[in-house]
Amino acid sequence: VCVCVCVFVCVCVCTESLGERYLILCSLTELFPESREVPHRFYCPITLEIMEDPVQASDGIMYERSAFAKWLATGNSTSPITNLPLKTLDVVANPELQKLIRSHKRP
């Protein structure tokens, strides 16, 4: 776990692209089975933290609502992952994913 954390921190600091960071996070969960306790789909690709209020953007990717709002507030109109233009800046809540995350957090 220590190696996983060190590699992850180094990659996050050294990698500019959010898409690359997310792909690396997914790869690390495959390399380190103990990190699979939390499914990678529970993590926001912007913050790399477990989401509390997941929303789907027009790029089809789930984000933490506040992180995506902050992305848009800085003047971005592209996908944080693909850097392609978003068709719309609207998001759709994902209550099913939110329920899964909440149930996973409970002891």
Side-chain angles (χ1 to χ4, degrees), residues 80-92:
I81 302 302
T82 66
N83 207 31
L84 295 173
L86 294 166
K87 293 177 185 173
T88 177
L89 302 182
D90 297 329
V91 295
V92 177

Side-chain angles (χ1 to χ4, degrees), residues 41-75:
R41 68 179 185 193
F42 288 7
Y43 288 92
C44 172
I46 296 174
T47 64
L48 301 178
E49 295 178 2
I50 297 174
M51 295 182 281
E52 293 183 13
D53 188 9
V55 294
Q56 183 172 2
S58 63
D59 61 0
I61 299 171
M62 298 293 166
Y63 301 97
E64 174 62 38
R65 183 184 299 273
S66 60
F68 190 74
K70 187 175 180 180
W71 172 261
L72 296 177
T74 59

